[in-house]
Amino acid sequence: MDNYIQTLNADLARMKELMRSLLPTPSSFEDLLSLYILYKEYNHTDSIIDYAKAVINSGEGIDQLLADATELNRQVTDCCQLYRNNQQAFDAIDSLSLFKAHIKPFQDAEQAEIDIATPLWKEYQHLSNRLDYLDNDSDEFKQMDAQCDAVKAEYDIHHARVNELHRICDEEIRRCSGAMSFTLEDLSILFFYMQRISQTIIDTITKPQGE
């Protein structure tokens, strides 16, 4: 059985690093997003309880569980203190503005290709319309037909890039969407519950039965 609490403790250390990276003001939406992903992974605290029960019921690894729960309690206490000490700064984080700055390069890349593809499409349509009025056997038609094909081929390249960049941008928006409503207060509540659970595990192991 994998040691769930040890993994959690390692990720809590990472959470503390990410929280500190948001101070005094966050410079990157990616840090907030990484924190949200970890929050979402551990938001269902029943997994901690289920793991502890499984270890206790097995009768093996109790000492290690106590050490892990003690470390968990220390980690979440530190996280809670970090939040309380910087609550005003954390509560002032503007997730929407950070997201807009994060997604702008994706949108700009797509728009740059659109700006290339759009005039190519107009040129292709213009040439195609002119071809309709020319004699198919004339030299002018043959020359313009070749030019029309070349413009269409170049347009197809940039149009494909537009579609790919639009897909990438949409995927990034979906990846980030949950973090836009995420707050550090949500995380502090999770820390509070983890603190209570870890203390319960410690008490269960250390207190004599029947007490």
Side-chain angles (χ1 to χ4, degrees), residues 193-204:
Y193 283 117
M194 285 182 175
Q195 199 172 31
R196 292 181 62 181
I197 291 168
S198 60
Q199 189 59 54
T200 298
I201 296 170
I202 293 167
D203 292 345
T204 299

Side-chain angles (χ1 to χ4, degrees), residues 30-75:
E30 197 66 43
D31 290 339
L32 186 64
L33 177 62
S34 297
L35 199 53
Y36 167 71
I37 290 170
L38 287 169
Y39 164 79
K40 189 169 63 170
E41 182 173 349
Y42 292 107
N43 193 32
H44 299 292
T45 53
D46 285 351
S47 297
I48 306 172
I49 299 169
D50 292 342
Y51 172 79
K53 282 182 177 178
V55 172
I56 291 170
N57 290 339
S58 72
E60 298 179 358
I62 304 296
D63 290 343
Q64 185 61 57
L65 176 61
L66 177 59
D68 294 338
T70 301
E71 175 61 14
L72 173 58
N73 191 271
R74 186 189 69 79
Q75 290 269 20

Side-chain angles (χ1 to χ4, degrees), residues 26-183:
S27 59
S28 167
F29 182 80
E30 197 66 43
D31 290 339
L32 186 64
L33 177 62
S34 297
L35 199 53
Y36 167 71
I37 290 170
L38 287 169
Y39 164 79
K40 189 169 63 170
E41 182 173 349
Y42 292 107
N43 193 32
H44 299 292
T45 53
D46 285 351
S47 297
I48 306 172
I49 299 169
D50 292 342
Y51 172 79
K53 282 182 177 178
V55 172
I56 291 170
N57 290 339
S58 72
E60 298 179 358
I62 304 296
D63 290 343
Q64 185 61 57
L65 176 61
L66 177 59
D68 294 338
T70 301
E71 175 61 14
L72 173 58
N73 191 271
R74 186 189 69 79
Q75 290 269 20
V76 291
T77 298
D78 288 350
C79 288
C80 285
Q81 191 63 49
L82 178 60
Y83 173 76
R84 284 194 295 268
N85 290 347
N86 301 278
Q87 185 171 353
Q88 186 173 358
F90 286 136
D91 290 348
I93 292 174
D94 186 348
S95 302
L96 182 57
S97 293
L98 287 170
F99 167 74
K100 287 179 178 179
H102 173 77
I103 209 67
K104 190 176 185 298
F106 294 87
Q107 295 171 329
D108 288 349
E110 180 185 351
Q111 188 59 50
E113 286 297 329
I114 291 172
D115 291 343
I116 297 172
T118 300
L120 286 170
W121 176 252
K122 290 179 179 178
E123 183 181 358
Y124 165 72
Q125 286 186 314
H126 173 70
L127 293 171
S128 182
N129 290 336
R130 286 186 62 189
L131 285 172
D132 292 339
Y133 296 96
L134 296 177
D135 181 355
N136 290 6
D137 295 326
S138 68
D139 289 340
E140 185 180 7
F141 177 89
K142 293 175 183 177
Q143 182 179 359
M144 191 172 294
D145 187 44
Q147 184 183 358
C148 187
D149 287 345
V151 171
K152 179 62 163 58
E154 188 176 358
Y155 164 77
D156 286 343
I157 291 171
H158 290 285
H159 182 63
R161 288 176 183 168
V162 169
N163 288 339
E164 176 63 11
L165 289 168
H166 183 74
R167 181 191 65 78
I168 292 171
C169 186
D170 274 357
E171 285 184 355
E172 187 64 12
I173 289 171
R174 287 195 294 273
R175 187 174 80 95
C176 297
S177 59
M180 283 188 282
S181 59
F182 169 68
T183 68

